[in-house]
Amino acid sequence: GGLIVVQEIFGVNSHVRAVADGFAADGYVALAPALFDRAERGVDLGYTADGMAKGRGIMSALDWDDTVADVKAAVAELSGAGKVGLVGYCWGGTVTWATACRATPGMEALRSRPVSTTPTTLPWTGTATCTSRTCGTTPTGESTTRPA
């Protein structure tokens, strides 16, 4: 199967690449899309206050619909590998949760731990229904486990 590793606020840095490599070593076709590329290409930030500040600035320059569209494109890209799942932490967890709520065809499961954005700050909160099988928590901590 395929697994999308959704980046943190620090971009596709060495840690995100290592996570994707670890899943690949476990037999998954793993992909870590560079979601910041719409605002700035090649973002690879360290886990510092400056890195966090720069990542927040880049994140705020992005459009949620474009970001979700980019993740959906990654899901479509891996669809030939079998079932596709998403994993994301921090901003990536929020992106993963948002992608599931936008009814992404071909996505089978997710694991998210969002901490950077709450549902009330997403522009379409309350208008989307999670239809994918999801496993994890919403940004407010509720379980999102649902049948397929």
Side-chain angles (χ1 to χ4, degrees):
L3 191 59
I4 310 291
V5 179
V6 184
Q7 69 178 61
E8 300 167 301
I9 199 169
F10 305 99
V12 180
N13 61 11
S14 60
H15 173 70
V16 170
R17 289 190 302 272
V19 169
D21 288 345
F23 284 123
D26 289 340
Y28 293 94
V29 178
L31 174 65
L35 299 176
F36 280 178
D37 275 7
R38 286 182 183 264
E40 183 176 327
R41 290 176 104 27
V43 175
D44 181 345
L45 303 172
Y47 294 98
T48 65
D50 288 342
M52 185 172 288
K54 181 166 182 168
R56 284 184 177 152
I58 296 168
M59 177 192 73
S60 66
L62 298 175
D63 176 81
W64 275 106
D65 289 331
D66 288 342
T67 301
V68 168
D70 290 342
V71 176
K72 286 182 174 189
V75 170
E77 182 67 25
L78 293 189
S79 64
K83 292 182 177 184
V84 178
L86 275 73
V87 61
Y89 302 95
C90 189
W91 180 72
T94 302
V95 171
T96 298
W97 177 83
T99 302
C101 288
R102 297 306 291 257
T104 302
M107 190 180 85
E108 293 293 328
L110 70 86
R111 173 65 178 113
S112 86
R113 183 67 179 145
V115 296
S116 62
T117 307
T118 61
T120 57
T121 64
L122 297 174
W124 32 259
T125 296
T127 63
T129 302
C130 290
T131 58
S132 301
R133 179 175 59 231
T134 61
C135 305
T137 56
T138 68
T140 56
E142 295 98 18
S143 171
T144 60
T145 303
R146 302 196 194 304

